[in-house]
Amino acid sequence: MKADVINKSSNRVDGYEKVTGKAKFGADINFGNQLYAKTVYSEYPRAKIKKIKLNKAKKLDGVVEIITAEDVPGTNEMFGRFPVLAAEEVKYVGDGIAVVAAESQEIAKKAVKLIVVEYEEIEPILDMKKAVKDTKELVHSDKEDNIIEHSHHLMRKGDIEKGFKGADVILERTYYTPFVDQAYIEPEVVISIPDPYRKGIEIHGSIQNPYSVQENIAKVMDHKISEVKVIHSTIGGSFGGKDESVMMMAARTSILAERTKRPVKMVLTREESMTESCKRHPYEMNYKIGAKKDGTIVAIQDEVYTQGGPYNNKAMFANWRGSVHATGPYQVDNVKTDYYGVYTNTIYGGAYRGFSAPQTVFGIESLIDELAEELNMSPKEIRLKNCLKPGDTFATGQKMGKDNIPIPLKEIIKEVCEKADYEKKVKKFKEYNKKHSEIKKGIGISCTLRGAGLGGEGIDTAGATITIDKDGSITLISDLTEMGQGMRTAHAQIAAETLGVSLERLSFINTDTSIIMDGGPTVASRGTLAGGQAVIAAGKKLKDRLKKVAAEKLNCDKEVIIIKNDQVYEYDNVNNMIDFDELIGVCIAEKGISLSAQGWYNPGPEELSEETGQGNAYPTYVYGCAVTEIIVDTKTGEVGVEKIIAGYDIGTPINPQQVKGQLYGGILQGLGYGLMEEFEQKEGYLKTDNFDDYLIPSIKDIPDINVILFDFEDDFGPYGAKSVGELGIELVAPSLVNAFKNATNNRIREIPLNLERASLGKNLSK
Amino acid sequence: MDFDFLQPTDLDEVCKLLNEYKGKVKIISGGTDFMIDLHKDELSPEIEYIIDVSNLRDLNYIKEDDNKIIIGAGTTHNEIANNPIVNKWAPVLAKATNSIGSPQIRNRGTLAGNIVTASPAADSVPALLVLNGKVKIKTSSTTKEIPLEDFFIKPYQSKINQDELIVEISFKKPPMECKSGFKKLTRRKAVDKARLNIAVLALQNNIDEIEILRIAPGSITPTPERFEKTENILLNKRPTKELIKKAAEQVSSTMIEKSGYRWSTEYKKPVIKTMTRRILTRVLEVE
Ligand SMILES: Cc1cc2nc3c(=O)[nH]c(=O)nc-3n(C[C@H](O)[C@H](O)[C@H](O)COP(=O)(O)OP(=O)(O)OC[C@H]3O[C@@H](n4cnc5c(N)ncnc54)[C@H](O)[C@@H]3O)c2cc1C
């Protein structure tokens, strides 16, 4: 079937609102009589709270209410141990101690400074390795160690000892990655208002995952879930970040709103956002790899520590994803993997585009290159030799192959290398480097496979509701959130395609937890994959109803009714037709048919063993390969990325332009990760808390990027689409350090590859 | 914080207000440094009045006479970088100002603002130092001119009193045959403060001997200054690779003499040497 609406680069359905400034972001939303809230943050990375003195602040004109941990009506512990406000002990510099609600932002700011907290300092636990070994010093005294609950995930395949015995070479390497920020343009905003019509609370804001906020706030407020209504505002980027922080903000403002019976608004400054919101988990990846002389990998063992901070509600999921992908896109018979999340008194790790992949892919793709060097093989050949092919089994024992899951890695690597002129460039740069003693050029490869959707992390259910109005206009409500990624447009295209109508009919509304079913979080590149299926299901229900009425009207069988391009007609008898709008009129006015339908998608759980990690981790996978060219000034450490050629199989693109946008964006964030991004902390204090010190790539750092889209047939997802959101970020950092090795003969095992690492081989800290 | 925001229309009025509100007043020009202090609550709590000079035509000009270039204190970096007089007589300054921040910052940020802030990494400063720039300062009753070299006290503190207004920055036209260069090293390619920067101005006679040489590295000393000891290594000589190497080493060791061994020294020591060597090699056209 030829597609009419999908696989086209149509304009965004929310483009008009964004371009004209009509779209309201959280900070633009105001309610009458609202108060402004501001949090008092901890002054120490770890300390006992002895006394909180509120008197002076309370007396300040315009201060209406101040709350502390004592004022939390329900539980003060949300998912992942996050407190609404610290009660006895502060465990990192982002812990909130009290919150002020005042008549203006300025007054709130003044009041926060008037609150005096007396502490008794405790030596903070900062080093991840020490936290693992030393179980006398605990971040949480009710635990026996500093390992985050349910964060140990493992993989056991084959016989690891036998595997290494059969190896001709064995390498052991450790790789490190830092805390990094999502760096969205819009800092977090939440406004809570007492529900004007009934008992309960209404929450607006830049909220990525409305249902988890709803559920947690219900517990904090001692309400029923149905009494908490969450509506997300237009979101200015999130990438996984607007989750824990907005949950805490929603809890604090909800308590204040109920106590004052007034709307309460909280907008974070950039400094607060950087201190309080989640980061990408830093990893320490200890790898051991064994291979035959011909390059065949026979065993991989890895022990990975992921830094969680004092509270964490992601390590248990991200570490599972990491453990599945730890051996990369390679056929390895013998695998032993262990991932552990670790509590520390530092800023905390959470979701950021990739969810373990940027770290893991950096590790494994560096390791493969090191193995190639050791064996004197080309980085391309070693990948072609070991990459998963039809019939191979993934680390989880899952069978990959044509009848099951397409596995086109070999094709993608070959084609990307060809487009990049890889072999010729390797030679050319070698010549160049011989002639130039200070400036060097290099080229590096990396490739990846990524499980699409949640997989074994949880059930990948999602819902959508489509309603057709009297005039034929259509409202699509997805229960997943638009954060700028373009999900709405993809869903609208899928709805229009399914219904057989033009995209112009489609309109959207923001997610409101009170009118839709909990469709899970908008994460794991599942918006199109799972959400799109729900849209198809809703569309099909409606189409069936329309066809029934059309068949009666056109006097023919329902099965031969075609709805296409806003026309409704009999197959093979095009003249027997009725206009779509007219059919809607008939349905509503003459027949009383409901033209609202909910679609629900439930792929069922994935089957995996907890003891071995073996099983089918994901229903399908997406793939990529990138070749990066760099130029290095070995004296100053300046690294310029000249060119990135990257090929991806993400299934059929619903909107090719948006798909490329996602990939370009991911590539740039990956570039920042590889080259410059990093939070600096000293003794538990955050040194980097705004964009003057936390550098992300500027327009001038952007290289020539060439994205190639492959579309190998895979009918698992909606109209052949799979996942795209996170894939783009994975490949840049590893191909960059591989190119750096190619250029300078120096291997960097810790990113970012900043001036100091590139010139001295190590970082310097203040 | 609440302020009275004043927008006087001429220089005399500015000076009058500065005098009247002495101790309670601060000037805002492009605001690109000022607004950050405000945001971080780093303005002195005594401040009650802000005087905006950004719209004053009397501070915004680039002029030349027979032997001088005179730049109004409120001239923006973009105006300087794109000005034909500056590009003809002092391309080193055009290059330096063009390296500042982003187009938006260069459209707001001014020359006086850059020097008053006295950041050790300020980009216009090394260029102005090799041009032997002078700062003209006015109060309601006096006018004085001091060399830029003497303008800085310590990092982020310059010799300007609360009742003083910088009105212009000037320098003598270097001989037309002078060659110059400016180089800035950053962590990313735009909108970034200098990790290191350096300006050089040189004149060689017809047998290649160096008659004028001025070297001003930035970001390596508490306050930017010319490295005269280094200049002397090459002055009155024909430049050679060896001499340049010696000069580069000298910059490096002078840095440590003046700044001590800091966390960043391990990086800056070899890199400023390389940058000095490269810029001297390029400007002096040594093979
Ligand atoms: C994003 C960003 C990037 C930047 N990048 C760079 C860079 O790459 N290189 C660099 O060197 N700087 C950089 N800066 C710093 C800044 O832009 C410059 O220092 C600029 O020249 C300041 O000028 P201004 O007119 O904005 O000063 P303002 O902020 O208005 O004032 C700065 C100080 O100067 C005083 N002042 C201003 N005019 C006068 C006057 N006529 N007489 C007396 N006192 C006066 C003010 O009272 C204040 O103390 C950057 C700043 C930002 C925000």
Side-chain angles (χ1 to χ4, degrees), chain A residues 157 211 283 455 574 730:
Chain A
K157 183 188 180 194
Y211 309 100
Y283 277 21
V574 182
E730 298 183 4

Side-chain angles (χ1 to χ4, degrees), chain B residues 26-37 53 59 73-74 77 96 99-102 105-106 108-117 119 121-124 160-161 164-167 184 191-194 197:
Chain B
K26 195 162 169 67
I27 294 171
I28 184 170
S29 184
T32 58
D33 282 323
F34 181 98
M35 292 306 288
I36 290 168
D37 291 347
V53 298
L59 285 180
H77 298 303
S99 80
I100 289 175
S102 58
I105 295 296
R106 293 194 290 277
R108 289 294 309 169
T110 62
L111 199 57
N114 199 226
I115 65 174
V116 172
T117 295
S119 157
D123 286 308
S124 73
I160 184 127
N161 293 322
E164 291 178 331
L165 172 75
I166 299 185
V167 283
K184 175 178 180 182
V191 212
D192 199 6
K193 49 183 165 276
N197 47 6

Side-chain angles (χ1 to χ4, degrees), chain B residues 11-31:
Chain B
L11 297 186
D12 288 338
E13 209 185 330
V14 174
C15 292
K16 212 183 103 207
L17 289 168
L18 284 173
N19 187 42
E20 200 174 325
Y21 298 130
K22 197 171 170 181
K24 297 184 278 188
V25 63
K26 195 162 169 67
I27 294 171
I28 184 170
S29 184

Side-chain angles (χ1 to χ4, degrees), chain A residues 544-600:
Chain A
D544 192 63
R545 291 178 205 167
L546 294 173
K547 277 185 176 178
K548 222 185 248 167
V549 176
E552 276 174 43
K553 205 75 192 164
L554 299 180
N555 238 327
C556 60
D557 199 40
K558 192 184 109 188
E559 306 312 317
V560 297
I561 294 291
I562 302 288
I563 308 180
K564 203 171 157 53
N565 297 329
D566 297 318
Q567 295 298 318
V568 186
Y569 53 91
E570 187 186 348
Y571 183 73
D572 272 354
N573 184 9
V574 182
N575 290 333
N576 187 22
M577 58 87 71
I578 175 170
D579 186 70
F580 185 82
D581 288 349
E582 203 183 326
L583 176 63
I584 298 304
V586 174
C587 286
I588 294 174
E590 286 180 27
K591 308 273 179 187
I593 305 279
S594 157
L595 290 186
S596 184
Q598 192 202 27
W600 186 249

Side-chain angles (χ1 to χ4, degrees), chain A residues 671-698:
Chain A
L671 187 86
Y673 192 45
L675 271 189
M676 60 185 84
E677 295 186 36
E678 175 167 40
F679 274 100
E680 203 170 323
Q681 294 182 88
K682 194 168 186 184
E683 278 139 35
Y685 297 91
L686 192 61
K687 296 277 152 197
T688 338
D689 65 359
N690 208 328
F691 291 121
D692 53 344
D693 286 323
Y694 187 87
L695 298 187
I696 57 175
S698 75

Side-chain angles (χ1 to χ4, degrees), chain A residues 11-23 488-489 508:
Chain A
N11 289 338
R12 295 176 72 115
V13 294
D14 52 1
Y16 170 81
E17 290 80 2
K18 290 267 173 80
V19 169
T20 56
K22 188 170 175 49
R488 262 175 198 154
T489 307
F508 59 87

Side-chain angles (χ1 to χ4, degrees), chain A residues 501-570:
Chain A
V501 299
S502 53
L503 190 58
E504 288 68 42
R505 289 179 187 271
L506 269 292
S507 150
F508 59 87
I509 63 174
N510 285 16
T511 309
D512 173 344
T513 57
S514 64
I515 55 167
I516 46 163
M517 182 67 192
D518 179 347
T522 306
V523 299
S525 309
R526 65 189 290 270
T528 301
L529 186 76
Q533 296 281 32
V535 173
I536 292 183
K540 277 188 173 159
K541 276 189 193 169
L542 281 179
K543 199 170 188 180
D544 192 63
R545 291 178 205 167
L546 294 173
K547 277 185 176 178
K548 222 185 248 167
V549 176
E552 276 174 43
K553 205 75 192 164
L554 299 180
N555 238 327
C556 60
D557 199 40
K558 192 184 109 188
E559 306 312 317
V560 297
I561 294 291
I562 302 288
I563 308 180
K564 203 171 157 53
N565 297 329
D566 297 318
Q567 295 298 318
V568 186
Y569 53 91
E570 187 186 348

